[in-house]
Amino acid sequence: MTQENALCDIGFIGLGVMGKNLVLNLADNGFNIAAFDLDNEKVKGVIDQDRAENEGGKARVFGCSSYTELLSKLKAPHLIVLSVPAGAPVDQVCGSLIGAGIQPDDIVIDTGNSLWVDTVAREEKYKSQFILFSSAVSGGEVGARFGPALMPSGSPYAWARIKPIWEAISAKVDPITGKPIERTAPGETIEHGDPCAAYIGPAGAGHYVKMVHNGIEYADMQIICEAYHVLRNGLGMSCEEVADTFEQWNRGPLDSYLMEISVEVLRQTVGDNNEPLVDLILDKAGQKGTGLWTAVSSLEVGCPAPTISQAVYARSLSSFKEIRQQASTILEGPAPSTLTEQEKTQFISRLHDAIYCSKICAYAQGFQLMKLAEKEHNWTLNFANIAKIWRAGCIIRAVFLQSITEAFTRDADLENLLLDEFFAKQLNLHQQNWRQSIADATLLGIPVGALSSALSYFDSVRTAVLPANLLQGQRDFFGAHTFERLDQTPGKKYHVQWSTKERDLVEL
Ligand code: 6PG
């Protein structure tokens, strides 16, 4: 067969769920792929799927049984995409490609969730052997198959080569409405719309932005889970009723992929009695680490991101199931709700506003974190573009991202989303319901750490004078750490000689 002898456009390594779907997406968009995985069954699997989906058409995916064979099947300079787990596997594959004879102008794209500092180090480490480019992918298996959000970063030379491919396979957004253009069938392609793939910056910047995407994802998920908990355990609603409420909310400003899939999960039943599946799922949350990395980075760059961090803590707390079970028999909570139907309706509508406001704060934290990281690492990030590429394909895709795009289009240097006129108006308008909703949940004994951390964040950001004045006094008392005064020249330091009887104020 002549095609078998023709050289392929792209080499692909790692054919797990994400890898296999990215290969088929690339194939739909007209690229020929040489595919390799250490597990030969996975190579066979993707070839079978290519043939099945493309029955009667030309083969688009060609299997390889070694790194050497993979390189030999590619057009030069070689373009190789990796979809392998973050960490050591990336270096193992890079080492194997060097052994197989990869060339200095060949490009290797790491699409995994690598820690951004590892990406920076790798680009440097391998630069004399090949060009390491990074491009995190968001959207799970369906996104990978029919259009993910892509966050490419690294060598601009490599990007020039990758751009048409990435723009072809990415999710697309209608430029007028800001809504995703659906593509759900094998073989389909979308030729129009704004692609959800834009160059982020130098090495590591794309992985950093993807990390923050995941931090926001953690917060968004936790906010929805807290709302579910309040409705289910606080108001005693059934899974169906909570799903109905979420479905209704999903038609307004809370319209998002995460809300949509929550409805699906809540409606899933099992067994003859149609028991809700969610009631049978063990309540211990897993995590692969990107949320934790975001929280750690927020502490390192000094960016307050309490709702993101709280979402990580909530997952950790959930894993202490045995302690929680024991404590539930010892520690008492308040009496159950005795609300009337009318009170319940008002309660639910307040909760809607609490989710909306908390979500705004979680995104504000994520975007401010990227802003501070940009300064620290000397990147030039385009926040309107970042919000744009998150409008479709990725896990946090939501109608709401259009408003964020507009906020950064109005002011590219916006320091915090809470200062944007649209978001400030939303928060001012809905804050009373937000406050009342947190009081509602607290009085019922339902933990709402993400919702309430967001409210505290909002209240802190809008408070011109915080109690850090007393804190500075405490620090000066025990450690002579000095303080500045509001009524004196900024930058001038003062110290009180606390241990003396006179407690003289010393100007330093
Ligand atoms: C995405 C997801 C993806 C993955 C997370 C899940 O954007 O497609 O974020 O990257 O699902 O790694 O992370 P946890 O296992 O930590 O929840």
Side-chain angles (χ1 to χ4, degrees):
M1 196 166 76
T2 49
Q3 290 154 16
E4 290 287 355
N5 302 325
L7 291 174
C8 292
D9 306 302
I10 299 164
F12 204 103
I13 300 172
L15 303 170
V17 178
M18 292 297 284
K20 183 172 89 171
N21 285 312
L22 280 172
V23 166
L24 295 166
N25 185 355
L26 286 160
D28 277 349
N29 281 283
F31 302 102
N32 285 340
I33 318 292
F36 175 61
D37 193 289
L38 290 174
D39 178 353
N40 198 40
E41 284 305 305
K42 290 191 174 145
V43 179
K44 280 196 196 129
V46 72
I47 290 173
D48 289 348
Q49 196 160 337
D50 172 52
R51 304 301 182 266
E53 288 186 0
N54 193 30
E55 210 185 340
K58 289 193 283 184
R60 311 167 302 178
V61 183
F62 304 94
C64 305
S65 53
S66 70
Y67 291 95
T68 317
E69 189 189 355
L70 178 99
L71 291 182
S72 74
K73 279 195 167 155
L74 297 180
K75 291 175 190 163
H78 306 140
L79 183 62
I80 299 159
V81 181
L82 306 189
S83 181
V84 299
V90 178
D91 286 305
Q92 278 154 14
V93 173
C94 291
S96 301
L97 284 168
I98 293 167
I102 194 165
Q103 295 299 305
D105 57 350
D106 290 348
I107 299 166
V108 175
I109 313 171
D110 174 16
T111 64
N113 273 335
S114 291
L115 180 59
W116 74 277
V117 282
D118 289 351
T119 302
V120 174
R122 277 190 195 113
E123 198 204 45
E124 186 61 24
K125 178 176 169 189
Y126 297 118
K127 72 178 179 200
S128 61
Q129 283 139 324
F130 61 87
I131 303 164
L132 181 91
F133 191 82
S134 71
S135 179
V137 175
S138 178
E141 58 182 301
V142 176
R145 180 68 187 88
F146 298 116
L150 298 164
M151 287 149 261
S153 65
S155 146
Y157 158 81
W159 175 236
R161 178 133 184 250
I162 298 161
K163 189 172 182 238
I165 306 171
W166 252 218
E167 289 188 345
I169 67 164
S170 73
K172 308 283 183 310
V173 170
D174 183 314
I176 312 287
T177 62
K179 294 210 167 155
I181 302 171
E182 296 292 334
R183 172 186 159 218
T184 48
E188 270 181 19
T189 53
I190 300 172
E191 315 293 333
H192 60 292
D194 290 343
C196 293
Y199 182 72
I200 303 288
H207 270 137
Y208 192 89
V209 166
K210 174 59 170 46
M211 176 193 83
V212 176
H213 164 283
N214 281 25
I216 295 173
E217 173 185 303
Y218 272 51
D220 220 337
M221 292 169 80
Q222 181 60 25
I223 287 168
I224 295 173
C225 290
E226 288 177 7
Y228 151 77
H229 197 185
V230 169
L231 296 176
R232 195 84 214 282
N233 295 49
L235 292 194
M237 286 165 67
S238 68
C239 281
E240 261 313 294
E241 287 168 331
V242 178
D244 290 345
T245 305
F246 281 7
E247 197 161 36
Q248 204 186 329
W249 288 351
N250 205 33
R251 292 188 201 113
L254 299 183
D255 180 344
S256 68
Y257 171 73
L258 285 170
M259 190 60 95
E260 182 191 318
I261 62 162
S262 304
V263 173
E264 301 269 336
V265 174
L266 288 169
R267 291 211 195 284
Q268 187 64 40
T269 56
V270 285
D272 295 341
N273 296 334
N274 286 332
E275 210 173 334
L277 172 68
V278 77
D279 285 351
L280 302 174
I281 298 180
L282 178 65
D283 54 325
K284 281 181 171 184
Q287 48 184 318
K288 293 209 195 81
T290 46
L292 169 75
W293 296 345
T294 314
V296 168
S297 181
S298 77
L299 290 168
E300 281 170 352
V301 303
C303 176
T307 312
I308 294 173
S309 308
Q310 178 56 36
V312 182
Y313 284 133
R315 289 197 189 193
S316 310
L317 220 151
S318 78
S319 68
F320 290 97
K321 175 84 177 167
E322 293 71 23
I323 295 180
R324 289 190 287 114
Q325 274 174 324
Q326 198 187 342
S328 71
T329 64
I330 304 167
L331 305 173
E332 289 171 10
S337 131
T338 52
L339 299 177
T340 64
E341 280 312 305
Q342 197 198 357
E343 285 167 337
K344 273 189 187 177
T345 307
Q346 290 163 346
F347 185 112
I348 294 169
S349 128
R350 290 195 291 267
L351 185 59
H352 170 279
D353 291 357
I355 299 173
Y356 184 39
C357 294
S358 302
K359 204 172 147 129
I360 295 173
C361 289
Y363 280 70
Q365 293 163 24
F367 274 87
Q368 193 186 17
L369 175 57
M370 290 189 285
K371 180 109 198 135
L372 293 176
E374 176 196 38
K375 284 184 191 150
E376 181 150 324
H377 307 299
N378 234 345
W379 297 329
T380 306
L381 300 180
N382 182 328
F383 296 103
N385 271 353
I386 292 171
K388 263 188 187 171
I389 60 176
W390 288 353
R391 288 177 303 174
C394 70
I395 301 296
I396 61 170
R397 63 184 180 264
V399 159
F400 179 75
L401 259 315
Q402 179 65 11
S403 307
I404 300 183
T405 305
E406 287 161 13
F408 283 108
T409 307
R410 272 192 290 278
D411 177 5
D413 296 321
L414 187 65
E415 290 286 335
N416 189 309
L417 270 184
L418 269 49
L419 300 175
D420 171 70
E421 58 191 54
F422 171 79
F423 288 111
K425 193 169 163 198
Q426 298 303 307
L427 292 165
N428 289 338
L429 199 65
H430 300 296
Q431 63 160 306
Q432 208 43 48
N433 276 352
W434 187 11
R435 292 182 193 288
Q436 187 58 51
S437 181
I438 283 159
D440 292 339
T442 307
L443 290 172
L444 288 173
I446 308 293
V448 284
L451 294 171
S452 55
S453 78
L455 179 57
S456 284
Y457 174 80
F458 168 75
D459 279 332
S460 299
V461 172
R462 61 164 201 88
T463 300
V465 180
L466 285 170
N469 48 3
L470 173 59
L471 194 131
Q472 284 295 79
Q474 293 165 336
R475 290 179 70 241
D476 189 61
F477 191 103
F478 63 68
H481 293 300
T482 77
F483 51 86
E484 290 177 57
R485 289 176 53 149
L486 289 169
D487 57 343
Q488 300 295 331
T489 316
K492 217 171 194 356
K493 304 276 189 217
Y494 294 85
H495 165 60
V496 174
Q497 291 178 325
W498 299 101
S499 54
T500 64
K501 201 162 161 237
E502 295 73 26
R503 299 201 158 169
D504 289 329
L505 180 66
V506 183
E507 206 180 295
L508 300 168

